[in-house]
């Protein structure tokens, strides 16, 4: 006997089958109904994705897994998602930190290669800069035209300073 196919879609948040009209375009792909998506966007906590643990769990399956809150090797907080910003929206301190970090990376590349980064090497060190800035500054920069202009100008000024310093020695 064949299982009857349900109409509509399943919402993975509320666990209900709902009509197609109850899902938005993104909701169809994510399996989240409009009501749950609205709650999610408003920041209302939804307890759907928390796994249910049976109190009568089997010791053989889980072994001696115990949570030790004093163990420094256990990371209990998930890593924070860096805030996405355009270069124009950075404050003075963030721009200064970005400039200093970029200058260090360019100087290191210049000392290693004695070349101005262009093409693929430029892309590599720019990706390195964005990754480091996202990790330490907790800001994921959008790679827009203003950022490209800033990085290019700073790179040229930095290399010129290194050349002048080396010429005076």
């Amino acid at each position: 006997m064949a299982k009857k196919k349900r109409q509509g879609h399943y919402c993975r948040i509320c666990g209900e089958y709902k009509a197609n009209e109850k899902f938005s375009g993104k909701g169809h792909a994510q399996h989240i109904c409009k009501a749950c998506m609205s709650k999610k966007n408003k920041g209302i906590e939804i307890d759907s994705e928390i796994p249910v643990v049976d109190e009568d769990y089997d010791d053989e399956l889980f072994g001696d897994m115990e949570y030790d809150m004093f163990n420094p090797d256990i990371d209990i907080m998930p890593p924070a998602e860096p805030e996405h910003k355009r270069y124009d929206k950075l404050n003075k301190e963030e721009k200064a930190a970005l400039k200093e970090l970029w200058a260090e990376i360019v100087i290191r590349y210049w000392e290693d290669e004695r070349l101005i980064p262009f093409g693929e090497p430029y892309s590599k060190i720019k990706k390195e800069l964005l990754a480091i800035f996202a990790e330490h500054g907790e800001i994921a920069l959008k790679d827009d035209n203003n950022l490209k202009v800033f990085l290019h100008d700073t790179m040229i000024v930095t290399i010129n300073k290194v050349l002048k310093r080396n010429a005076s020695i």
Side-chain angles (χ1 to χ4, degrees):
M1 188 160 142
K3 186 176 178 182
K4 182 180 174 187
K5 186 174 178 182
R6 293 182 168 251
Q7 289 185 342
H9 288 281
Y10 178 76
C11 176
R12 67 181 179 92
I13 302 294
C14 61
E16 297 177 14
Y17 282 91
K18 295 187 177 183
N20 289 337
E21 294 82 19
K22 298 290 184 180
F23 289 83
S24 67
K26 288 182 182 179
H28 277 287
Q30 296 175 350
H31 303 286
I32 302 174
C33 67
K34 288 180 184 178
C36 293
M37 185 69 82
S38 175
K39 289 178 187 175
K40 181 179 170 188
N41 290 339
K42 289 179 183 174
I44 298 173
E45 182 122 356
I46 303 170
D47 295 333
S48 66
E49 296 181 18
I50 300 172
V52 177
V53 178
D54 186 14
E55 291 181 14
D56 300 328
Y57 68 91
D58 190 1
D59 285 334
E60 292 177 14
L61 289 175
F62 295 102
D64 291 332
M65 286 187 348
E66 287 187 27
Y67 178 73
D68 183 6
M69 64 187 261
F70 298 108
N71 185 347
D73 296 330
I74 296 176
D75 187 14
I76 56 175
M77 291 297 292
E81 184 70 27
E83 179 184 359
H84 293 275
K85 278 188 177 179
R86 293 191 330 251
Y87 173 74
D88 295 343
K89 300 296 181 184
L90 296 177
N91 61 36
K92 288 181 183 180
E93 293 83 19
E94 292 167 339
K95 286 181 180 179
L98 180 67
K99 184 176 183 176
E100 184 178 328
L101 181 60
W102 180 239
E104 289 175 13
I105 292 171
V106 168
I107 290 170
R108 187 182 69 227
Y109 181 82
W110 174 260
E111 289 173 351
D112 291 344
E113 302 291 330
R114 290 288 182 202
L115 293 171
I116 296 174
F118 182 75
E120 187 178 331
Y122 176 79
S123 296
K124 280 185 177 179
I125 65 171
K126 184 170 72 170
K127 284 181 184 175
E128 178 185 351
L129 168 79
L130 296 177
I132 292 171
F133 200 72
E135 183 179 330
H136 295 289
E138 297 178 358
I139 298 171
L141 285 172
K142 294 182 180 178
D143 193 7
D144 61 356
N145 194 39
N146 292 331
L147 178 65
K148 289 176 185 176
V149 169
F150 166 76
L151 294 180
H152 181 265
D153 292 347
T154 305
M155 176 180 63
I156 299 301
V157 169
T158 302
I159 291 174
N160 284 337
K161 285 181 182 178
V162 171
L163 288 173
K164 285 180 185 177
R165 188 175 356 132
N166 290 344
S168 66
I169 295 179

